[in-house]
Amino acid sequence: MKGNILTVIIFLFLISETYSQYVITGSVYDYEDNDPLEYIHIIGPDSVNGTISDAEGRFKINSDRNKGVLIFNALGYRKTRYEYRTQQDTSDIGIVYIKKESISLREITIS
């Protein structure tokens, strides 16, 4: 009987760890100007969840993993990878700075 109870407790613990949800928050800023950036695409570690930053550069993304890589991407900015690790259900990773990237266009003919 005690063995069955211990088995059930261990099973429930493993299930709660497997299906726990983590919330990662932070802000995105321009590396040169130190201004918050809006509409930056942020992709989570499972490549399924994603979000964009708001007008103050803040974001919030859910993940089922306590560690991984967030990818920050926007037109005119270099794609940036940020590794995180958390032990809490909610974790603020602080400010992520991304650098501008020059975009060159080929010759365009308008007729």
Side-chain angles (χ1 to χ4, degrees):
M1 182 70 173
K2 289 182 182 180
N4 289 340
I5 293 173
L6 182 61
T7 303
V8 169
I9 291 172
I10 291 172
F11 179 72
L12 291 175
F13 177 74
L14 291 174
I15 287 176
S16 68
E17 285 296 312
T18 302
Y19 292 105
S20 60
Q21 190 76 2
Y22 298 95
V23 179
I24 298 115
T25 61
S27 299
V28 186
Y29 277 66
D30 184 286
Y31 180 79
E32 296 169 8
D33 302 333
N34 201 30
D35 292 330
L37 297 172
E38 59 184 332
Y39 305 119
I40 302 297
H41 299 264
I42 300 116
I43 300 172
D46 51 11
S47 297
V48 174
N49 293 331
T51 189
I52 60 171
S53 59
D54 65 13
E56 286 83 34
R58 296 181 305 226
F59 67 90
K60 178 171 82 170
I61 189 166
N62 296 324
S63 175
D64 58 355
R65 301 178 186 174
N66 69 334
K67 63 181 178 178
V69 176
L70 297 177
I71 299 172
F72 297 82
N73 196 12
L75 187 62
Y77 287 89
R78 186 177 300 158
K79 184 185 285 189
T80 303
R81 298 169 52 91
Y82 183 89
E83 290 187 34
Y84 75 91
R85 171 172 277 167
T86 181
Q87 298 299 325
Q88 305 169 357
D89 292 342
T90 302
S91 181
D92 186 352
I93 62 172
I95 298 174
V96 176
Y97 292 95
I98 62 174
K99 294 182 178 182
K100 292 180 183 174
E101 182 174 55
S102 298
I103 299 174
S104 60
L105 299 175
R106 296 181 188 179
E107 184 177 324
I108 299 173
T109 305
I110 299 175
S111 56

